[in-house]
């Protein structure tokens, strides 16, 4: 029998590796930025076009590469970061596998220009789909410039599965944030479609956070600093009153590498226990420094997951450090057992004794006479005549009185008989019942109707908002004082994109400038206290949604507003509210499903109920 196992060609192996390393344009951004940092660059420039689908270019002023290194860098498992397996447990660099450039070159057009400081000229290499088309000498400044064009040009299926430009741009910005926050000592500049998105000068950690997330962030930060033999923690956590409904501002860095850890995130949540509202998530920007030998980074291609030797100790230290900072800066309530009791009494009263109370024991308000020297009030005794005197003279007038009453005429002497004996017996028949403050039960001819109140109200609001945005006849209520909200530059950009659609729903924007949004009017159904929550949820939905139709922006906006304003599970409804919700639901065009295509109600026939009792 012939041998069937064979080695894969390099270009095929590179494409397989690209499936793990390069999932979207943001993956390319991450790999190139990390390579620039490993090259000891102090200034890095990122240029993006069409959300990275057309161009991702990273320019740095690092140490550059020689002619041989430039060519070898695109080979599989070619790296300068490690030399043996033992080096995996002493990693001080971002990359170490040597797969990134080879994988990127297999699925894109790559142009590399690099020069070392002591060289007169540099090297330029053009690669298309793992094939080197050109290598020549070029004049270029010190450092490396690598441009990745037409991503997934030879894998149409992968290109078609990319999300919209807005979503892909959001992922790129997230990766940019993670790298920039981990290295505040490096200046970063980002351009998207020719416009400058970020310009982050070299700064300290607090200033870097403020430069990325807006000037209002500085008042939200609480410093955390702890140094132990096992773990060193530095960074900031957000104050509880500024917690958001989304998890956008949560960053863990281990040895200057961004990681995701649900276990450590739980430690932060435990430290904030009792300080956050339901559904709110605390912000944090924490750097953890540990011994490289106690962690394993080589467990996932994206290197965002890490295994720790002793997670329980890290959990306890992290939780106590955050809790200590919250108490130290008077964020969390603290019991003071050394309170001085004397502070409860004003100083001017401390030397005085108990005040004396004088009582006049001879005072009697019911006495007829006044006691000399005392002012008392006596009640005057009035002798009332006998009760018989009240009826004097009535006997002689008895006949006349009866005659007078007989001559009195009324408009109507007849009493109209009512259909019911008592008015309170006329009661409206209750047709709906609320169960566990979650479901509304109603009866139909064939059996029983069970409605999910939250989903049903979502459907009602969704269709109302869609009609308002398309017909443009929404009503709004003016605010007595304009509402001022602060957002990051990226969130302001999203609000500007949705401004027209938001105005059709009833929002009135007075100004949108810098990081400030002033709102002078809101839709009739929106409470003023929930405006910021609704806009935060809307921004989060826009960042993560996948638009796939011409009406995607309007549809997404209507879905987000309906989700935020719908009646929540656990809210008690009156009978009138229940019936109004049921009637409104079945007046909708699609009453069967919520805006997210989940069932709004179920029915149970009489036969089904009968079978339950068999």
């Amino acid at each position: 029998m012939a041998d069937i196992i064979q080695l894969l060609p390099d270009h095929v192996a590179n494409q397989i590796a690209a499936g793990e390393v390069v999932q979207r344009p943001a993956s390319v951004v991450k790999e190139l930025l990390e390579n620039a940092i490993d090259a000891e660059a102090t200034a890095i420039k990122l240029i993006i076009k069409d959300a990275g689908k057309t161009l991702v270019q990273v320019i740095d002023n690092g140490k550059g590469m020689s002619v041989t290194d430039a060519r070898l860098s695109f080979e599989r498992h070619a790296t300068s970061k490690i030399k043996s397996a033992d080096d995996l447990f002493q990693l001080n660099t971002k990359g170490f596998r040597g797969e990134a450039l080879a994988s990127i070159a297999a699925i894109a057009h790559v142009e590399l220009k690099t020069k070392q400081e002591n060289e007169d000229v540099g090297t330029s290499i053009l690669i298309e789909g793992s094939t080197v088309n050109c290598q020549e000498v070029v004049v270029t400044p010190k450092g490396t410039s690598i441009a990745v064009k037409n991503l997934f040009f030879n894998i149409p299926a992968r290109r078609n599965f990319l999300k919209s430009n807005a979503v892909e741009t959001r992922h790129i910005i997230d990766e940019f944030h993670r790298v920039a926050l981990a290295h505040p000592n490096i200046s970063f500049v980002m351009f998207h479609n020719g416009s400058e998105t970020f310009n982050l000068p070299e700064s300290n950690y607090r200033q870097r956070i403020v430069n990325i997330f807006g000037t209002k962030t500085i008042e939200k930060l609480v410093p955390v600093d702890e140094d132990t033999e096992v773990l060193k923690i530095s960074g900031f956590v957000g104050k509880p009153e500024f917690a958001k409904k989304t998890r956008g501002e949560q960053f863990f860095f281990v040895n200057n590498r961004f990681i995701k850890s649900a276990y450590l995130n739980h430690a932060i949540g435990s430290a904030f226990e009792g300080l956050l509202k339901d559904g709110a998530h605390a912000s944090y920007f924490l750097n953890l420094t540990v011994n490289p030998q106690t962690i394993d980074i080589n467990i996932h291609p994206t290197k965002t997951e890490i295994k720790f030797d002793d997670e329980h100790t890290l959990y306890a230290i992290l939780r106590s450090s955050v809790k200590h900072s919250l108490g130290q800066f008077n964020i969390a309530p603290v019991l003071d057992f050394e309170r001085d009791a004397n502070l409860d009494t004003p100083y001017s009263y401390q030397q005085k004794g108990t005040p004396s109370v004088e009582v006049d024991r001879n005072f009697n308000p019911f006495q007829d006479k006044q006691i000399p020297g005392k002012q008392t009030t006596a009640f005057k005794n009035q002798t009332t005549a006998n009760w018989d005197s009240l009826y004097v003279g009535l006997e002689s007038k008895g006949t006349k009185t009866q005659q007078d009453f007989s001559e009195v005429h009324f408009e109507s002497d007849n009493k109209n008989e009512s259909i019911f004996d008592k008015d309170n017996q006329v009661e409206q028949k209750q047709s709906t019942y609320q169960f566990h403050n979650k479901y509304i039960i109603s009866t139909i001819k064939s059996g029983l109707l069970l409605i999910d109140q939250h989903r049903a109200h979502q459907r009602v609001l969704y269709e109302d908002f869609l009609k308002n945005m398309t017909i443009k006849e929404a009503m709004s209520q003016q605010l007595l004082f304009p509402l001022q909200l602060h957002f990051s530059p990226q969130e302001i950009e999203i609000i500007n994109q949705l401004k027209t659609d938001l105005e059709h729903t009833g929002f009135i924007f007075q100004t949108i400038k810098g990081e400030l949004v002033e709102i002078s009017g809101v839709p009739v159904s929106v409470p003023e206290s929930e405006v910021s929550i609704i806009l935060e949820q809307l921004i989060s939905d826009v960042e993560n949604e996948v638009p796939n139709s011409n009406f995607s922006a309007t549809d997404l906006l209507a879905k987000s507003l309906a989700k935020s304003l719908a009646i929540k599970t656990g809210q008690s409804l009156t009978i009138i509210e229940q019936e109004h919700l049921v009637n409104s639901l079945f007046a909708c065009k699609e009453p069967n499903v919520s805006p997210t295509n989940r069932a709004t109600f179920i029915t149970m026939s009489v036969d089904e109920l009968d079978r339950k009792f068999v």
Side-chain angles (χ1 to χ4, degrees):
M1 185 175 178
D3 298 333
I4 59 175
I5 297 178
Q6 59 183 348
L7 289 174
L8 291 174
D10 284 344
H11 68 278
V12 177
N14 287 340
Q15 288 194 14
I16 294 173
E20 295 181 344
V21 177
V22 185
Q23 300 171 359
R24 56 185 357 132
S27 306
V28 177
V29 170
K30 173 180 179 293
E31 299 293 344
L32 297 185
L33 289 177
E34 289 182 349
N35 282 343
I37 292 170
D38 288 340
E40 301 175 3
T42 59
I44 300 174
K45 183 185 294 184
L46 173 64
I47 301 173
I48 302 294
K49 286 186 180 178
D50 297 332
K53 299 173 184 177
T54 302
L55 172 67
V56 174
Q57 185 175 9
V58 173
I59 304 171
D60 67 68
N61 63 348
K63 55 188 178 182
M65 291 182 283
S66 65
V67 178
T68 305
D69 288 345
R71 181 65 186 84
L72 270 177
S73 64
F74 290 98
E75 297 296 330
R76 289 195 73 208
H77 306 307
T79 180
S80 61
K81 317 296 173 62
I82 62 173
K83 290 182 172 60
S84 65
D86 294 336
D87 294 339
L88 289 173
F89 303 99
Q90 295 287 345
L91 288 174
N92 294 310
T93 57
K94 300 291 185 182
F96 52 86
R97 290 200 183 100
E99 284 186 327
L101 287 182
S103 301
I104 293 170
I107 54 173
H109 298 166
V110 179
E111 180 181 0
L112 171 70
K113 292 181 181 179
T114 183
K115 184 177 86 72
Q116 293 179 324
E117 186 174 10
N118 55 356
E119 297 291 335
D120 295 330
V121 293
T123 305
S124 174
I125 298 178
L126 295 177
I127 299 180
E128 295 182 4
S130 295
T131 303
V132 179
N133 289 345
C134 177
Q135 179 172 345
E136 59 185 5
V137 176
V138 68
V139 177
T140 183
K142 174 209 168 187
T144 302
S145 169
I146 182 166
V148 179
K149 305 174 184 177
N150 305 323
L151 194 64
F152 300 125
F153 78 99
N154 53 354
I155 312 179
R158 291 284 297 278
R159 189 175 181 89
N160 291 337
F161 274 100
L162 291 178
K163 306 297 191 285
S164 67
N165 283 356
V167 175
E168 295 298 340
T169 302
R170 182 70 248 172
H171 284 289
I172 290 174
I173 291 176
D174 285 343
E175 291 294 348
F176 182 82
H177 285 173
R178 293 166 182 174
V179 176
L181 284 171
H183 300 276
N185 58 328
I186 300 175
S187 65
F188 290 88
V189 181
M190 176 178 170
F191 293 89
H192 185 216
N193 290 337
S195 62
E196 185 179 272
T197 307
F198 290 99
N199 191 344
L200 309 176
E202 182 180 346
S203 61
N204 58 30
Y205 193 45
R206 181 193 287 267
Q207 192 60 44
R208 176 56 57 89
I209 295 172
V210 171
N211 288 339
I212 291 177
F213 295 102
T215 54
K216 274 291 177 180
T217 312
I218 195 167
E219 65 186 38
K220 306 177 184 178
L221 300 178
V222 178
V224 178
D225 194 3
E226 192 71 38
D227 193 354
T228 66
E229 294 180 358
V230 180
L231 173 68
K232 180 180 179 182
I233 304 174
S234 63
F236 302 90
V237 295
K239 295 180 180 178
E241 60 264 32
F242 298 106
K244 294 187 175 182
K245 293 288 185 181
T246 58
R247 298 178 178 271
E249 297 178 359
Q250 296 184 339
F251 296 89
F252 275 126
F253 301 98
V254 174
N255 296 350
N256 293 330
R257 183 192 301 275
F258 173 79
I259 67 158
K260 298 176 181 177
S261 174
Y263 187 68
L264 296 183
N265 181 71
H266 188 273
I268 302 293
S270 178
F272 277 89
E273 187 177 3
L275 300 176
L276 298 177
K277 298 178 182 178
D278 291 339
H281 303 283
S283 302
Y284 53 80
F285 311 86
L286 295 175
N287 295 303
L288 313 181
T289 304
V290 299
N291 187 344
Q293 293 183 348
T294 62
I295 59 176
D296 185 7
I297 304 170
N298 191 27
I299 62 172
H300 195 275
T302 60
K303 301 187 282 286
T304 56
E305 297 180 13
I306 289 182
K307 289 293 183 184
F308 298 94
D309 280 357
D310 190 359
E311 283 188 329
H312 298 289
T313 302
L314 299 184
Y315 183 100
I317 295 175
L318 182 61
R319 178 179 178 273
S320 61
S321 300
V322 173
K323 216 171 181 61
H324 174 71
S325 291
L326 293 175
Q328 184 180 6
F329 291 92
N330 296 326
I331 306 301
V334 178
L335 292 176
D336 186 4
F337 294 102
E338 298 179 358
R339 178 178 58 84
D340 188 354
N342 293 328
L343 296 177
D344 295 342
T345 307
Y347 291 110
S348 58
Y349 289 92
Q350 289 200 9
Q351 303 302 326
K352 295 184 179 181
T354 305
S356 59
V357 179
E358 296 181 1
V359 180
D360 183 7
R361 301 186 181 279
N362 297 322
F363 175 75
N364 186 355
F366 299 100
Q367 283 182 339
D368 294 336
K369 299 179 180 179
Q370 293 186 355
I371 299 175
K374 303 292 182 181
Q375 293 183 358
T376 59
T377 304
F379 291 96
K380 182 179 179 182
N381 288 333
Q382 296 180 354
T383 305
T384 307
N386 293 332
W387 286 101
D388 297 341
S389 64
L390 296 176
Y391 298 94
V392 174
L394 291 180
E395 294 83 357
S396 60
K397 299 179 181 179
T399 307
K400 184 177 179 181
T401 303
Q402 292 177 2
Q403 183 180 1
D404 291 342
F405 277 109
S406 64
E407 295 176 355
V408 175
H409 297 282
F410 296 94
E411 262 187 54
S412 175
D413 291 334
N414 296 329
K415 181 180 178 182
N416 293 330
E417 295 292 336
S418 175
I419 300 176
F420 302 98
D421 293 338
K422 296 181 181 179
D423 291 341
N424 58 8
Q425 289 183 354
V426 183
E427 295 181 356
Q428 185 178 4
K429 184 179 179 182
Q430 183 175 350
S431 60
T432 60
Y433 304 89
Q434 193 176 21
F435 181 66
H436 278 209
N437 288 341
K438 182 176 182 180
Y439 300 106
I440 296 175
I441 301 174
S442 182
T443 56
I444 53 178
K445 186 176 181 180
S446 59
L448 201 63
L449 183 68
L450 195 63
I451 301 172
D452 187 309
Q453 65 183 32
H454 178 62
R455 296 182 189 176
H457 199 213
Q458 275 193 58
R459 165 54 64 177
V460 174
L461 292 177
Y462 170 70
E463 294 199 3
D464 284 345
F465 284 129
L466 269 186
K467 185 169 75 172
N468 290 337
M469 284 185 281
T470 52
I471 301 177
K472 301 178 177 59
E473 293 181 356
M475 296 178 61
S476 65
Q477 55 183 353
Q478 293 289 327
L479 299 178
L480 184 60
F481 300 103
L483 188 63
Q484 294 187 347
L485 303 174
H486 294 271
F487 295 95
S488 66
Q490 300 79 43
E491 294 170 339
I492 292 290
E493 185 178 347
I494 293 174
I495 291 175
N496 275 322
Q497 294 173 359
L498 300 174
K499 180 182 176 184
T500 304
D501 288 330
L502 283 170
E503 287 174 342
H504 292 163
T505 63
F507 283 96
I508 299 176
F509 294 92
Q510 191 164 326
T511 57
I512 301 179
K513 183 174 62 175
E515 300 171 2
L516 177 67
V517 175
E518 280 195 11
I519 299 175
S520 58
V522 296
V524 176
S525 57
V526 177
E528 181 181 349
S529 59
E530 295 189 9
V531 173
S532 61
I533 299 173
I534 291 169
L535 290 180
E536 284 179 11
Q537 184 66 52
L538 173 62
I539 290 169
S540 174
D541 290 341
V542 170
E543 290 173 352
N544 301 314
E545 189 68 20
V546 185
N548 53 6
S549 68
N550 295 332
F551 301 98
S552 57
T554 304
D555 183 71
L556 174 60
L557 179 58
K559 284 181 182 177
S560 181
L561 291 175
K563 181 170 64 176
S564 300
L565 295 173
I567 296 168
K568 302 298 187 290
T569 298
Q571 184 172 342
S572 178
L573 302 178
T574 64
I575 297 175
I576 297 176
E577 290 172 337
Q578 295 171 28
E579 293 181 349
H580 178 69
L581 179 58
V582 174
N583 295 334
S584 300
L585 174 65
F586 289 101
C588 293
K589 294 181 180 179
E590 294 286 343
N592 298 332
V593 293
S594 69
T596 54
N597 288 325
R598 304 177 72 181
T600 56
F601 66 86
I602 60 172
T603 58
M604 292 186 69
S605 65
V606 177
D607 294 338
E608 290 180 57
L609 292 172
D610 290 341
R611 284 196 293 270
K612 299 290 184 183
F613 292 94
V614 173

